């Protein structure tokens, strides 16, 4: 079976069938063993009717007890041996299925990690879930029928050969009947591929919507939009159900033919053999053997049809996996440049934002999405002409950018584990460093409020934490990473004013001498900035300190101080000791 930590190999991404063959080839010895065992196992089922016919003709009819006992013992031995082979076959097929499952899952997970931030921009969450769960299972299950499918073909030939000495007529009926039975299912498997593809795509859309609803249900309920989205979900569910009915209709015909056609063939051959026995052209033992041969053929025909059915579904799933594995991460520019050797200016020509090293810069704009777009460009998560120390950011090797520039997304994933493991990331910071980051993010109360402090287990996405606690935990993680440049969109949006003032003051102290960019329109944050860049329509309209902009920019004043009259603003700004964070006991907070 595939080692959990082993390299899964380089998949063949030239198509669904090639990917399936690659999975078989990666475990060639096991696949060959499974095929051989399946052939012998199914072939021995065809041998049993022959043994029975000999027991009847050589022992029962002439009354030879010794011959009857011998052939009976042979039937028993063949059955016992075949039962053991059946166990080996099942175990081998299970190992093939598990290997294919683990191997494909590792490919999907590793490629998702390789895509990184570009993943969500190229494929939806629902599509990833459908590929990683449903499609992987469909592919791995299909490989368990390949061995029996090959055995079915061999057994079909063996039975036809055994019937030839008995009756050429019966042998011809079998040779023509089995392909005809399987051929009736062929067009249905082609149709199944088309309906299954549409169903899988719609399923991915609905899965994504379920995730969106689950994540934003509280917000939707607060805005009164729960009913609207619930109605849309019902419509999508009905559409998926109707497509499922179409898939089920094709599947039901395939399954009906898979079971019914061999039975019809069995009845036809038995009737023909009975007539031949009545006419004296074959013996009673041969009649029993013919019935046994045809009964045995039900199994290979079943597996043959089942193989076609499962492979038709698997190739649809494999094409989706191949399509996912063909997604490419953001490529480095062919004219790669070295990253600046020391902290340097980040400049976004599109917005006019210039980030001076070693300073706390706050982007303030009426439309948060425009400020976030600037951060995406500065962090190289969107195409842009941003320069870093004069060099184009998109020409610097991406690993070097990620090592030195960190975008602390406000909704970044929180993985399940202890709080300590959650915030320390891939580094192993000292206890003092963790405590300092916790204090800087004003997360002391979060740690104290948990039963085991930093060693308390946190659910996936921090579901056992409040929104403000999750935001501070994300900030702790970003501070422990200690990047040269920290870009933090709205790091205090879910905090109350008291905590927000604390975070703003401590963040400035913790990042002293380091480059930090924050987006916010809160005066509690803006007042701690070295530089505030006022954005209008996504472009820098003014720059200065918070107090300078309050005094000189009416648009800025109306944005960040909406509850303050202009005359009061002017009086406040005239007083050099005035503080927009008045009323907060900083000593008590800190």
């Amino acid at each position: 079976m595939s080692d959990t930590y082993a390299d899964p190999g380089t998949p063949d991404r030239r198509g669904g069938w090639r990917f399936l063959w690659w999975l078989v080839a990666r475990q060639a010895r096991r696949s060959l063993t499974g095929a051989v065992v399946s052939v012998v196992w199914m072939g021995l089922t065809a041998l049993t009717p022959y043994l029975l016919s000999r027991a009847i003709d050589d022992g029962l009819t002439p009354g030879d007890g010794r011959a009857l006992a011998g052939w009976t013992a042979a039937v028993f031995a063949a059955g016992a041996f075949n039962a053991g082979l059946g166990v080996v076959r099942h175990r081998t097929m299970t190992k093939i299925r598990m290997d294919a499952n683990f191997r494909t899952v590792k490919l999907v997970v590793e490629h998702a990690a390789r895509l990184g931030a570009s993943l969500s921009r190229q494929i939806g969450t629902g599509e990833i879930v459908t590929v990683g769960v449903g499609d992987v299972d469909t592919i791995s299950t299909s490989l368990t029928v390949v061995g029996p499918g090959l055995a079915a073909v061999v057994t079909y030939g063996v039975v036809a050969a055994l019937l030839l000495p008995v009756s050429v007529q019966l042998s011809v009926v079998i040779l023509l009947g089995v392909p005809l039975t399987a051929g009736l299912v062929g067009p249905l498997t082609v149709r199944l591929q088309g309906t299954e593809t549409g169903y899988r795509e719609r399923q991915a859309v609905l899965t994504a919507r379920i995730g969106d609803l689950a994540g934003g249900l509280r917000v939707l309920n607060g805005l009164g939009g729960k009913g609207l989205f619930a109605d849309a979900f019902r419509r999508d569910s009905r559409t998926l159900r109707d497509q499922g009915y179409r898939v089920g209709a094709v599947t039901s015909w395939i399954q009906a033919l898979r079971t019914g056609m061999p039975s019809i063939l069995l009845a036809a051959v038995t009737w023909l053999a009975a007539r031949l026995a009545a006419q004296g052209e074959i013996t009673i033992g041969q009649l029993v053997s013919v019935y046994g041969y045809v009964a045995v053929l039900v199994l290979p025909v079943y597996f043959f049809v089942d193989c076609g059915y499962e492979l038709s579904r698997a190739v649809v799933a494999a094409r989706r996996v191949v399509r996912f594995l063909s997604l490419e991460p953001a490529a480095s520019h062919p004219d790669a440049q070295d990253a600046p050797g020391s902290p340097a200016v980040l400049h976004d020509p599109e917005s006019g934002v210039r980030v001076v090293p070693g300073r706390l810069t706050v982007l303030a704009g009426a439309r948060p999405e425009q400020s976030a777009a600037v951060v995406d460009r500065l962090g190289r998560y969107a195409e842009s002409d941003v320069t870093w120390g004069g060099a184009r950011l998109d020409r610097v090797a991406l690993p070097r950018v990620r090592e030195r520039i960190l975008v602390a997304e406000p909704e970044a994933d929180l993985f399940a584990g202890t709080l300590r493991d959650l915030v320390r990331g891939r580094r192993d910071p000292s206890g003092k460093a963790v405590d300092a980051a916790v204090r800087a993010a004003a997360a002391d109360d979060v740690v104290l409020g948990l039963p085991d402090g930093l060693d308390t287990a946190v659910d996936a996405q921090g579901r056992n934490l409040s929104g403000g606690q999750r935001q501070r935990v994300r900030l702790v993680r970003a501070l422990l990473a200690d990047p040269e440049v920290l870009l933090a969109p709205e790091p205090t949006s879910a905090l109350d004013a008291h905590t927000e003032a604390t975070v703003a003051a401590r963040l400035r102290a913790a990042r002293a001498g380091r480059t930090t960019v924050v987006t916010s329109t809160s005066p509690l944050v803006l007042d701690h900035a070295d530089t505030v860049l006022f954005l209008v329509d996504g472009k820098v309209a003014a720059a200065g300190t918070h107090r300078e902009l309050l005094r000189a920019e009416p648009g800025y004043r109306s944005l960040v101080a909406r509850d303050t009259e202009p005359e009061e603003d002017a009086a406040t700004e005239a007083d050099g000791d005035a503080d927009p964070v008045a009323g907060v006991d900083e000593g008590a907070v800190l």
Side-chain angles (χ1 to χ4, degrees):
M1 209 167 345
S2 176
D3 184 354
T4 304
Y5 301 101
D7 180 10
T10 303
D12 192 333
R13 300 181 297 179
R14 290 177 292 177
W17 287 112
R18 289 181 179 273
F19 181 80
L20 292 175
W21 176 250
W22 175 80
L23 286 175
V24 173
R26 289 295 296 181
Q27 42 181 333
R29 180 178 299 177
R30 185 182 295 126
S31 299
L32 182 61
T33 301
V36 171
V37 171
S38 297
V39 167
V40 176
W41 168 74
M42 200 174 295
L44 283 178
T45 61
L47 179 63
T48 303
Y50 170 77
L51 297 176
L52 282 173
S53 70
R54 294 301 303 271
I56 293 171
D57 288 342
D58 296 349
L60 187 60
T61 301
D64 187 343
R66 182 174 295 181
L68 179 61
W71 287 114
T72 301
V75 171
F76 177 80
F81 180 72
N82 217 23
L85 274 183
V87 174
V88 174
R89 180 196 67 84
H90 185 272
R91 288 184 175 179
T92 305
M93 290 298 127
T94 300
K95 289 181 179 180
I96 291 173
R97 175 174 59 84
M98 297 300 291
D99 184 284
N101 191 297
F102 290 156
R103 196 177 300 277
T104 308
V105 166
K106 284 193 289 186
L107 287 172
V108 170
V109 172
E110 288 180 4
H111 193 65
R114 194 177 302 117
L115 289 171
S118 65
L119 175 64
S120 59
R121 293 173 172 82
Q122 299 187 62
I123 187 171
T125 304
E127 182 79 3
I128 299 172
V129 173
T130 304
V131 168
V133 179
D135 291 334
V136 169
D137 184 66
T138 300
I139 289 170
S140 59
T141 300
S142 72
L143 297 188
T144 63
V145 301
V146 174
L150 176 62
V153 176
V154 175
T155 304
Y156 159 68
V158 170
V159 170
L162 289 173
L163 275 174
L164 192 59
V166 176
S167 170
V168 175
Q169 185 180 7
L170 290 175
S171 183
V172 170
V173 170
I174 293 296
L175 286 172
L176 296 179
V178 173
L180 178 62
T181 301
L184 290 174
V185 183
L188 290 175
T189 59
V190 175
R191 183 180 175 186
L192 179 64
Q193 290 186 26
T195 55
E196 184 91 7
T197 299
Y199 177 79
R200 290 287 185 179
E201 291 175 351
R202 174 59 58 180
Q203 187 181 44
V205 172
L206 194 63
T207 302
R209 181 155 294 182
I210 291 173
D212 294 340
L213 283 172
L217 190 59
R218 184 179 299 176
V219 176
L220 289 173
N221 195 34
L223 296 174
K226 184 173 67 173
L228 178 64
F229 278 85
D231 290 340
F233 181 76
R234 291 191 190 96
R235 288 195 298 271
D236 286 344
S237 296
R238 284 193 292 268
T239 302
L240 181 64
R241 180 193 61 194
D242 294 340
Q243 288 183 313
Y245 285 156
R246 287 194 288 272
V247 173
V250 179
T251 301
S252 64
W253 275 105
I254 292 176
Q255 292 178 344
L257 291 173
R258 181 175 61 184
T259 304
M261 292 303 294
S263 300
I264 295 174
L265 179 63
L266 172 63
V269 174
T270 302
W271 176 80
L272 183 58
R275 289 197 48 155
L276 292 174
Q279 295 169 1
E281 296 184 20
I282 61 176
T283 66
I284 298 300
Q286 289 175 325
L287 173 62
V288 173
S289 69
V290 168
Y291 180 84
Y293 291 145
V294 180
V296 165
L297 276 179
V298 172
L299 185 63
V301 171
Y302 173 88
F303 274 115
F304 190 74
V305 175
D306 191 52
C307 183
Y309 166 68
E310 292 292 347
L311 288 178
S312 66
R313 298 182 67 236
V315 73
V316 173
R319 286 169 183 163
R320 290 163 56 81
V321 171
V322 166
R323 187 165 64 238
F324 174 75
L325 296 177
S326 298
L327 299 177
E328 295 293 339
S332 299
H333 197 280
D335 300 327
Q337 298 181 3
D338 292 333
S342 59
V345 172
L346 272 172
H347 178 228
D348 176 30
E350 185 173 339
S351 63
V353 169
R354 289 182 63 86
V355 179
V356 179
R359 298 172 66 86
L360 173 59
T361 303
V362 180
L363 308 181
R367 300 178 63 181
E369 66 274 13
Q370 293 179 342
S371 301
V374 174
V375 170
D376 280 348
R377 293 195 293 270
L378 293 175
R380 196 176 159 183
Y381 286 104
E383 295 184 2
S384 69
D385 296 324
V386 170
T387 59
W388 186 20
R392 283 183 61 98
L393 187 64
D394 58 3
R395 297 187 183 181
V396 178
L398 189 59
R400 304 290 82 75
V401 175
R402 296 288 176 254
E403 286 174 2
R404 298 171 60 181
I405 301 177
L406 171 65
V407 177
E409 290 283 354
E411 297 299 327
D413 288 328
L414 297 175
F415 300 105
T418 66
L419 182 59
R420 188 185 306 276
D421 291 338
L422 186 62
V423 299
R424 71 183 182 182
R426 62 183 178 183
R427 300 189 179 189
D428 190 15
S430 64
K432 287 185 177 180
V434 174
D435 292 340
V438 167
R439 186 176 187 281
D444 315 66
D445 62 318
V446 178
V447 176
L448 292 174
L450 295 174
D452 297 317
L454 286 168
D455 296 317
T456 301
V458 176
D459 294 343
Q461 303 303 336
R463 285 190 293 267
N464 56 337
L465 302 176
S466 69
Q469 289 174 329
R470 288 194 295 269
Q471 193 166 51
R472 283 177 285 167
V473 167
R474 292 185 179 101
L475 185 56
V476 171
R477 184 170 61 183
L479 291 173
L480 276 175
D482 194 27
E484 178 184 315
V485 179
L486 174 61
L487 307 174
E490 302 290 345
T492 61
S493 58
L495 307 182
D496 58 73
H498 179 84
T499 309
E500 186 176 33
T502 305
V503 171
R506 293 181 181 177
L507 177 63
R508 177 187 174 91
R511 293 285 299 173
R514 311 283 275 173
T515 307
T516 307
V517 179
V518 171
T519 70
S520 179
T521 57
S522 169
L524 301 174
V525 176
L526 293 163
D527 193 54
H528 288 280
D530 294 310
T531 303
V532 177
L533 300 178
F534 175 42
L535 303 181
V536 177
D537 295 330
K539 299 185 182 300
V540 176
T545 65
H546 172 58
R547 296 172 186 274
E548 291 171 349
L549 293 178
L550 278 176
R551 186 183 306 112
E553 290 292 330
Y556 177 81
R557 185 165 55 246
S558 65
L559 173 66
V560 304
R562 291 182 293 274
D563 297 329
T564 305
E565 294 296 331
E567 293 79 3
E568 294 174 352
D569 291 343
T572 301
E573 297 306 325
D575 184 356
D577 295 329
D579 190 339
V581 196
V584 176
D585 185 353
E586 188 165 317
V589 172
L590 300 179

